[in-house]
């Protein structure tokens, strides 16, 4: 591939941002994030990009646009999770986004090889990893389903021994009005630098579909939303915001209202075995008040079978 975006290439093609920029799917890559840089390398190798001319003091290191005009690739020097207001910053730089995909590393104590997708938000007042208290970002269930499903297909095709799973809602940024998601490689430096995992993540991102799907918000389960992931893979549905069992004590009407609106949810799903009876009752009462039904796994499978 000819890398038109190489700043040392005098023949590179630069596109002037004064040409009425339109919102595009925007991939954000962070300089200190090894997995992010791995995914970026694969993205640059997979398709051709044009380097964009950034305005002074844009706050971005570099920006590129794919030759087909579908994607932008934007470099930041900071960590992803502290990017509240990034959508406005992109727009001010002449880089408006229709969807923001954060290419990122995933870290876990278990050090499991994994490919994960999730949306962002803080169900509690804990904001150590960015965002605002009790605030949720706008999710993109269709994009999450598409990317995660393609990650699974490609990983199996390559024979990669990586868990492919949906994670629950966690960390920042939360203050984004544009839909966003994280696409991640985990969980140690070995996997973050694995070019095969990077290629799978990059290809899945480039294959993203925004075709409308039935959407659930989820309650219960662990950090890796196993039952929700299974339903995402095996039925037509996707998930927006998910709240694990260890965050249910913080879930109230205001948070559920946010989750419904910012996921454009059609119904709710409970991982019932992981929830206490009083939690189910409390959340069910709120959902009923807000006019959202709760579907059991069997009902979802019957109504939305592949």
């Amino acid at each position: 591939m000819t890398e038109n975006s190489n700043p040392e290439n005098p023949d590179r093609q630069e596109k002037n941002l004064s040409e009425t920029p339109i919102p595009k799917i925007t991939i954000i890559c962070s300089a200190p994030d090894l997995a992010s840089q791995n995914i970026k390398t694969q993205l640059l190798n997979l398709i051709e990009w044009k380097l964009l001319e950034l305005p002074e003091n844009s706050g971005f290191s570099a920006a590129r646009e794919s030759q087909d005009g579908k994607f932008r690739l934007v470099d930041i020097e900071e960590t992803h999770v502290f990017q509240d207001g990034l959508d406005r910053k992109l727009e001010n730089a002449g880089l408006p986004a229709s969807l923001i995909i954060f290419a990122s590393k995933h870290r876990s104590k278990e050090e499991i090889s994994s490919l994960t997708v999730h949306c962002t938000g803080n169900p509690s007042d804990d904001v150590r990893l960015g965002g605002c208290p009790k605030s949720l970002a706008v999710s993109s269930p269709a994009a999450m389903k598409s990317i995660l499903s393609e990650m699974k297909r490609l990983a199996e095709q390559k024979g990669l021994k990586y868990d492919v799973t949906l994670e629950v809602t966690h960390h920042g940024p939360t203050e984004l009005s544009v839909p966003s998601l994280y696409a991640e490689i985990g969980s140690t430096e070995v996997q973050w630098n694995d070019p095969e995992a990077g290629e799978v993540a990059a290809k899945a991102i480039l294959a993203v579909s925004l075709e409308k799907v039935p959407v659930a918000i989820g309650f219960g389960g662990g950090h890796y939303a196993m039952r929700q992931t299974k339903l995402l893979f095996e039925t037509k549905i996707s998930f927006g915001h998910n709240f694990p069992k260890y965050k249910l004590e913080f879930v109230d009407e205001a948070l559920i209202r946010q989750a419904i609106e910012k996921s454009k949810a059609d119904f709710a799903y409970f991982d019932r075995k992981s929830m206490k009876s009083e939690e189910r009752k409390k959340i069910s009462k709120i959902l009923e008040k807000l006019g959202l039904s709760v579907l059991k796994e069997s009902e979802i499978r019957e109504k939305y079978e592949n």
Side-chain angles (χ1 to χ4, degrees):
M1 183 201 87
T2 303
E3 164 59 278
N4 291 330
S5 56
N6 185 346
E8 297 178 0
N9 179 0
D11 297 321
R12 77 185 189 273
Q13 298 174 4
E14 291 192 355
K15 184 174 179 178
N16 194 312
L17 290 176
S18 63
E19 298 174 3
T20 318
I22 60 172
K24 296 188 186 295
I25 297 170
T26 302
I27 307 157
I28 304 296
C29 293
S30 166
D33 185 318
L34 294 177
S36 193
Q37 292 304 300
N38 177 10
I39 296 168
K40 174 187 165 183
T41 297
Q42 302 304 321
L43 287 166
L44 292 176
N45 287 336
L46 286 167
I47 61 173
E48 293 194 2
W49 301 81
K50 297 173 284 189
L51 191 69
L52 302 177
E53 186 180 329
L54 287 166
E56 279 190 52
N57 304 315
S58 69
F60 300 113
S61 309
R64 298 168 173 85
E65 187 173 301
S66 60
Q67 290 282 14
D68 64 8
K70 186 177 179 181
F71 297 93
R72 291 194 186 103
L73 178 60
V74 178
D75 294 345
I76 60 172
E77 294 300 315
E78 306 82 16
T79 305
H80 291 109
V81 295
F82 300 110
Q83 295 300 308
D84 285 305
L86 178 67
D87 51 341
R88 295 190 300 276
K89 187 176 170 183
L90 286 164
E91 191 163 354
N92 291 338
L95 302 165
S98 57
L99 169 69
I100 296 172
I101 300 173
F102 295 99
S104 176
K105 70 183 179 186
H106 167 70
R107 187 194 298 272
S108 77
K109 292 176 185 176
E110 294 80 15
E111 300 187 356
I112 296 166
S113 299
S114 60
L115 293 158
T116 70
V117 167
H118 71 89
C119 49
T120 62
N122 293 317
S124 69
D125 291 328
D126 183 358
V127 294
R128 287 173 295 174
L129 293 175
C132 291
K134 305 281 282 185
S135 183
L136 307 176
V138 179
S139 70
S140 181
M144 290 202 295
K145 181 180 180 72
S146 166
I147 291 173
L148 200 67
S149 299
E150 188 66 0
M151 282 177 165
K152 184 174 188 286
R153 188 186 74 80
L154 291 168
E156 288 174 351
Q157 189 180 78
K158 280 180 168 285
L160 289 185
K161 297 190 184 305
Y162 277 67
D163 288 350
V164 183
T165 182
L166 183 68
E167 289 183 274
V168 295
T169 297
H170 64 297
H171 70 59
T174 60
E175 307 314 293
L176 299 171
S177 56
V178 169
S180 64
L181 64 96
Y182 268 68
E184 302 179 332
I185 300 172
S187 304
T188 72
E189 199 167 317
V190 173
Q191 291 83 25
W192 300 337
N193 287 315
D194 179 357
E196 289 202 290
E199 184 182 11
V200 166
K203 283 184 172 179
I205 289 169
L206 293 176
V208 65
S209 168
L210 301 179
E211 186 177 345
K212 186 172 170 54
V213 293
V215 175
I217 52 171
F219 299 89
H223 182 82
Y224 302 100
M226 298 302 185
R227 290 183 184 274
Q228 288 93 320
T229 300
K230 199 169 171 60
L231 283 168
L232 182 150
F233 285 147
E234 296 177 1
T235 72
K236 290 186 171 76
I237 77 158
S238 187
F239 281 86
H241 285 287
N242 273 288
F243 304 107
K245 60 185 177 182
Y246 56 87
K247 291 289 186 181
L248 293 181
E249 65 181 290
F250 305 108
V251 172
D252 56 17
E253 183 178 330
L255 194 71
I256 292 174
R257 191 183 293 275
Q258 267 196 85
I260 294 170
E261 291 173 355
K262 293 181 176 180
S263 305
K264 294 186 177 174
D266 299 302
F267 60 93
Y269 166 76
F270 291 171
D271 184 343
R272 292 174 182 274
K273 291 182 180 177
S274 72
M275 297 172 70
K276 297 174 184 173
S277 174
E278 58 267 29
E279 290 170 341
R280 288 199 306 271
K281 288 176 183 175
K282 179 190 81 169
I283 295 168
S284 293
K285 191 174 179 181
I286 295 169
L287 289 167
E288 186 178 355
K289 178 183 176 182
L290 297 176
L292 201 71
S293 59
V294 180
L295 296 186
K296 295 178 180 177
E297 179 174 335
S298 59
E299 293 172 320
I300 293 170
R301 290 187 180 278
E302 183 179 347
K303 188 173 182 178
Y304 299 111
E305 63 180 346
N306 272 333

